[in-house]
Amino acid sequence: MPISRGSIRHSVREDLVYLFHSLVNPKGIARRANSIQRKNLCEKISKKFNYDNVVLFPYARTAFHAILVSLNLPKNSEILLTPITIGPMLEVIKTLGHKPVFVDIELETFCVDLNDLKTKLKTKPPCFLLTYLFGYVPNIEEIASICQENNTLLIEDISHNISASYNGKFLGSFGYASIYSASLLKYVDGYNGAFVATKDKELVQLLESEVSKYIEPNPRRIARIIQTTLVWNISLNRIPFSVFVYPLLWLIKKFNRNKFEQILGARIKYFIHNKLPDFYFEDIASVQCEMISIQLDNLDDLITNRLKDISIAVEAGKSILGKNSFLNLTESQNNKRHTFWQYVIPVEDLDFVRNELFRNGVETGATNLMNLASIEGVELPNAKRLKESFVFIPVHNWISFEKYQTIYKSIQDKIII
């Protein structure tokens, strides 16, 4: 049976219910979240992850913009960031008149390369946006310590890593502030919406001041998000994907490869704006708060089951490939709790691997996140290699040990041990 690379984390029924409400009462479902909703959701997030303070936002990019505005930095300040992230983070930096400086990653946990970070910190940049990838956990204590030594504020983007931890402490707790995006396909998918967590009470006041300026959510935008989520949810479900979506993708790939790549490519593009779009500054909606809260209730079970599914994929890999570095990463590590939002392995000839897997019914590929350094003309070898030499192995609770063995066998000669 064909296999999709990912899945939506809530039910088709939920999406249908919210879609119905968005059609019959669009202004009601898309209204700005009220003070009680905000307070309850912020307290829930704080309690669950031991965060001191939480502020809600419509998008992660908006949250990042608010943090940079609150810092009141002089124009042309250097903002450090890891290169594999969404384009709007770069848009925010450049629109505010600052200079992006990219720091390469390492290829074990796909986090920042410490040697490159130490080099880039010599100029004493005011802040560093660190984007964790795929649910893998680095030595964040060392990263935070290096930043602190150089008086550089660490901003953690935990969008891939919610509920992951280091030494028993949740990621998002190690820096000046952290950002989470509750967007499509994430563990906590709230029809978008986002939050910032921080220990700094002064920052909370400044962020809340920024949020108070945001405009009422556009009902059409919220309805489109729900509609898009429903389409993806149905398309990625096991039976519809097998019966309709995969055969359709097969035909598109055969007769129009460009269209095939467009359909499966990056959803969030990078644009250069004189000013950021108005919808970035629409406040978080009531329905987004409601869905984030529901998803938080399901998060522990989701990750517990995910780790069980990952263990099957890993053991199947070991049975075919033997023990090696990328498989050993999933073994018990007392100080790290990886959550494996995505499971990636290194390969030679990514195009061949992707085509071979698709021929065998597995739709997958490399990350669709952009290499923003490359877009800006900066060559970072590990970021480039991640985009060109790592493929996702889909993980679903219905894939058997034997099926994973078949997947590995089909590309065995191209897997880098």
Side-chain angles (χ1 to χ4, degrees):
M1 181 173 282
I3 299 171
S4 65
R5 77 172 73 183
S7 59
I8 303 298
R9 308 300 177 178
H10 38 91
S11 69
V12 171
R13 180 182 178 279
E14 285 173 324
D15 291 343
L16 286 169
V17 168
Y18 283 115
L19 177 61
F20 174 78
H21 285 299
S22 73
L23 295 175
V24 300
N25 185 22
K27 290 185 179 180
I29 200 168
R31 70 184 184 275
R32 188 195 307 260
N34 62 40
S35 58
I36 295 174
Q37 278 185 303
R38 291 173 190 272
K39 180 175 181 293
N40 289 343
L41 181 55
C42 288
E43 288 179 351
K44 190 172 196 174
I45 295 168
S46 296
K47 183 178 180 180
K48 189 168 189 64
F49 303 110
N50 297 319
Y51 295 149
D52 291 345
N53 305 284
V54 173
V55 182
L56 303 177
F57 286 87
Y59 291 98
R61 65 199 74 171
T62 313
F64 184 46
H65 179 274
I67 292 171
L68 290 184
V69 169
S70 298
L71 292 176
N72 196 27
L73 303 173
K75 293 291 184 182
N76 209 36
S77 293
E78 289 188 350
I79 308 297
L80 264 58
L81 70 160
T82 43
I84 310 296
T85 186
I86 58 170
M89 295 309 206
L90 181 56
E91 294 170 21
V92 166
I93 292 170
K94 299 186 83 168
T95 303
L96 289 173
H98 301 313
K99 178 184 176 182
V101 177
F102 296 98
V103 190
D104 205 1
I105 60 173
E106 43 82 14
L107 295 174
E108 181 178 329
T109 64
F110 311 103
C111 197
V112 65
D113 178 90
L114 289 177
N115 290 328
D116 197 30
L117 177 61
K118 290 173 183 177
T119 299
K120 303 289 172 58
L121 284 172
K122 289 178 180 177
T123 60
K124 306 297 181 183
C127 64
F128 169 38
L129 176 64
L130 169 65
T131 300
Y132 301 106
L133 294 177
F134 315 138
Y136 291 70
V137 178
N139 184 341
I140 184 57
E141 287 184 349
E142 185 174 5
I143 295 168
S145 176
I146 293 169
C147 290
Q148 189 172 17
E149 288 169 6
N150 288 274
N151 295 318
T152 297
L153 299 175
L154 174 62
I155 302 169
E156 302 170 72
D157 183 344
I158 61 169
S159 300
H160 288 195
N161 284 53
I162 192 166
S163 203
S165 62
Y166 184 88
N167 278 339
K169 185 176 177 181
F170 288 108
L171 300 192
S173 305
F174 291 87
Y176 172 67
S178 62
I179 301 169
Y180 179 76
S181 170
S183 58
L184 189 69
L185 298 172
K186 298 296 193 307
Y187 278 158
V188 176
D189 171 357
Y191 302 129
N192 293 128
F195 66 79
V196 168
T198 180
K199 302 181 186 72
D200 194 293
K201 292 185 178 180
E202 182 180 355
L203 176 61
V204 171
Q205 293 176 347
L206 293 170
L207 293 178
E208 289 177 342
S209 176
E210 287 297 308
V211 169
S212 70
K213 303 171 189 175
Y214 295 165
I215 60 178
E216 195 73 24
N218 184 331
R220 290 183 179 178
R221 179 179 65 87
I222 300 299
R224 281 197 302 271
I225 293 170
I226 296 171
Q227 290 163 12
T228 299
T229 304
L230 175 61
V231 169
W232 277 79
N233 207 345
I234 294 172
S235 299
L236 294 177
N237 260 266
R238 184 180 179 184
I239 294 176
F241 184 82
S242 300
V243 176
F244 300 109
V245 178
Y246 177 79
L248 180 59
L249 288 174
W250 188 91
L251 289 171
I252 294 171
K253 184 175 185 287
K254 182 175 178 62
F255 294 107
N256 190 340
R257 182 62 183 258
N258 289 336
K259 185 66 175 179
F260 176 81
E261 298 297 344
Q262 181 183 345
I263 291 170
L264 299 176
R267 292 178 295 106
I268 303 176
K269 307 296 184 181
Y270 169 58
F271 301 100
I272 298 176
H273 304 284
N274 292 325
K275 65 186 265 320
L276 296 173
D278 290 342
F279 75 87
Y280 283 18
F281 304 101
E282 293 176 12
D283 204 355
I284 190 168
S286 171
V287 64
Q288 293 170 326
C289 285
E290 187 174 329
M291 181 52 77
I292 290 171
S293 181
I294 292 170
Q295 292 293 287
L296 286 171
D297 289 337
N298 299 330
L299 181 60
D300 291 343
D301 287 343
L302 188 157
I303 291 178
T304 297
N305 291 329
R306 180 70 169 184
L307 295 178
K308 291 178 182 176
D309 298 337
I310 284 286
S311 68
I312 296 172
V314 169
E315 291 306 313
K318 288 181 179 179
S319 73
I320 301 300
L321 304 166
K323 290 192 174 183
N324 58 72
S325 59
F326 76 84
L327 291 174
N328 288 337
L329 181 63
T330 64
E331 292 182 346
S332 177
Q333 297 173 324
N334 292 331
N335 64 333
K336 294 181 181 181
R337 185 189 187 225
H338 307 290
T339 52
F340 297 107
W341 180 64
Q342 297 281 9
Y343 175 46
V344 294
I345 66 172
V347 296
E348 297 174 355
D349 196 345
L350 179 63
D351 287 340
F352 174 88
V353 167
R354 188 178 171 206
N355 287 332
E356 187 66 15
L357 288 173
F358 189 81
R359 189 177 69 83
N360 285 278
V362 181
E363 188 287 300
T364 190
T367 179
N368 281 331
L369 288 172
M370 296 184 207
N371 180 354
L372 298 178
S374 180
I375 289 173
E376 290 290 291
V378 178
E379 289 299 317
L380 299 176
N382 287 341
K384 184 173 185 288
R385 189 175 170 212
L386 173 58
K387 289 286 292 181
E388 296 178 355
S389 302
F390 282 78
V391 69
F392 294 137
I393 298 297
V395 176
H396 299 285
N397 60 11
W398 50 267
I399 302 178
S400 68
F401 182 89
E402 292 74 21
K403 182 61 178 178
Y404 280 118
Q405 286 182 315
T406 301
I407 291 172
Y408 288 116
K409 285 177 181 177
S410 70
I411 57 172
Q412 184 172 356
D413 291 343
K414 298 296 182 181
I415 297 174
I416 299 172
I417 302 299

